[in-house]
Amino acid sequence: MKLAVVGGGSTYTPELVDGFARLHATLPVTELVLIDPDAERLELLGPLARRILARQGHPGRVTWTADLDAGLEGADAVLLQLRVGGQAARRQDETWPLECGCVGQETTGAGGLAKALRTVPVVLDIAERVRRRSPGAWIVDFTNPVGIVTRALLAAGHRAVGLCNVAIGFQRKFAGLLGVAPEEVALEHVGLNHLTWERSVTVGVEDVLPRLIAEHGDAVAADLRMPRSVLERLGVVPSYYLRYFYGHDEVVRELRTKPSRAAEVAAMERELLTMYADPALDEKPALLAKRGGAFYSEAAVALTASLLRDTGDVQVVNTLNNGTLPFLPDDAVIEVPAAVDARGARPLPVRPLEPLYAGLVANVTAYEHLALEAALEGGRDRVFRALLAHPLIGQVDHADRLTDALLAHNRKHLAWA
C-alpha cells in the first residue's frame, strides 16, 4: 500500500508518520512518499520519518521527492496538507482584516477567503495529476479551508474526502474527562467544517452531554475560550471556531493587542526544524503538540483505512450533503459522521437542525458557494460578493475595503488578479 503526502515538508509530518508507525495493523503502509517543493525541508523530514518508523519496528519504506508527478505514481491514497504562501501569507490573513474591525483568522472571514483563493487552484491541479498518475487513488484533504477545498474537489469529480481534527479532539477530551476509552464515546457532531456543534455525547446508550457540562463545564469552556454559560444556555458544545462568531468583537480586540498566531507558529516551526535536523531524533518531539493538529494522525489513519480496506466504519468527515441537511443544496459539503468504505463517505441520518444553528449553517454555506466561484473564476466582483455574504462581514463598506486589501496582499498568488 503506497501513500503519498503532498506537503510532506510540513512540520506536521512527524505527527502523521508517528500515527502510521503506531497503527500499522490498521493501515499496513508499505511505501510512504513525502512530496514537497522545498527540498531543504524534505532533507530533514524524510530521514526523520525513516527513523520514526524504524524506532517502532515498522517495515515500510520512506522516500521523498520534489517531483509531484513521480511521487504520485501508483499511490493508493494521497494526503494533502499544504499551505500556499506559507506562514508569511497566513500572517497577512490574520492582520489586514483587523484594519476594518473584522476578525483576522486563516480559515474564516476575509483571511479564510484569501486562503481559499490561493489554495483551490493549486489543489485542483494536484488532483488532476493524481487522476492521471493514480486514477484509482483516494484524496484525503486536510488542507484548510477544508470545506471549500473538498467542495472544489468533489465538484470536479475527484475521489476525495475532507478531514478535520476537531471531532476527534473533542472525542479524546471528553473521554478523558469521563474516564472512559475514546472508542466508547460517540458524538452527534453536525455542521460545516469549523462551524460545528456537539449535540449529544453518547457512552453506551446514554447521552452524557448534560452531565459532561454540569460536571466538567469549566474545563470544556476553557478549551473553547468561551464562558461556561454559553454551554449551559445552549446545551451543546460548539466548536472553538464558533468563538469567532459568538464573541467576534472581543476576539478582534484581543487580536489587536498580541502577536499573530502565524508569528507564534513560525517561531515554533523554526525550533521544530532545528530539532528535526538532529540525526538522533527518532520520535515526534513534545513541542509538536503545541503546533496544532492534535490527533490528526489517528484521524487520517482511520479514514484512509476505511477507504482502502472497505470497512464501512463511521468517521466524522467532510462530504457531500446529498439531502442530509434538507435546507442545504445537495452539493454543499457538510461535516458529520459518515459510513466510509471503498465507495466513499455517506452521511448518517441527522436529526433536524435547530433554527439557531441552521440559520448560521445556511448563511456560511452560501458564502462558501460564492467563495468557490471566486476561487475558480476570479474577478474583483466575485471576491466582493463572497465577502459581503460572510456573516462576519456583511457590510458594503467593509466588503469593499477588504476586497482591495485581499487583492493587494495576494496578487502574486492569484493568476487572474
Side-chain angles (χ1 to χ4, degrees), residues 118-132:
R118 294 192 304 268
T119 304
V120 166
V122 173
V123 166
L124 289 179
D125 176 67
I126 293 168
E128 286 299 328
R129 294 176 185 224
V130 172
R131 182 143 50 192
R132 292 197 298 268

Side-chain angles (χ1 to χ4, degrees), residues 162-178:
L163 179 65
C164 181
N165 68 323
V166 167
I168 193 172
F170 274 138
Q171 183 199 43
R172 300 304 174 90
K173 174 70 175 180
F174 297 162
L177 292 173
L178 296 166

Side-chain angles (χ1 to χ4, degrees), residues 263-300:
E264 295 174 355
V265 169
M268 200 179 305
E269 287 196 335
R270 288 192 292 271
E271 189 174 351
L272 285 168
L273 291 170
T274 299
M275 293 178 177
Y276 295 168
D278 180 359
L281 183 67
D282 58 2
E283 60 184 345
K284 64 176 183 179
L287 177 62
L288 187 54
K290 298 181 180 179
R291 171 65 181 83
F295 309 115
Y296 161 41
S297 59
E298 283 90 341

Side-chain angles (χ1 to χ4, degrees), residues 322-338:
N322 281 337
T324 307
L325 298 178
F327 59 91
L328 296 182
D330 286 347
D331 64 348
V333 165
I334 60 175
E335 185 171 290
V336 293

Side-chain angles (χ1 to χ4, degrees), residues 169-194:
F170 274 138
Q171 183 199 43
R172 300 304 174 90
K173 174 70 175 180
F174 297 162
L177 292 173
L178 296 166
V180 299
E183 56 270 19
E184 295 181 59
V185 176
L187 303 177
E188 187 183 6
H189 178 103
V190 61
L192 310 177
N193 179 242
H194 291 185

Side-chain angles (χ1 to χ4, degrees), residues 211-240:
R211 175 161 63 89
L212 183 73
I213 293 175
E215 297 179 2
H216 304 285
D218 289 340
V220 176
D223 279 355
L224 301 177
R225 300 180 67 188
M226 294 184 197
R228 175 179 177 147
S229 60
V230 173
L231 312 184
E232 294 172 335
R233 294 173 71 182
L234 298 182
V236 301
V237 177
S239 158
Y240 42 83

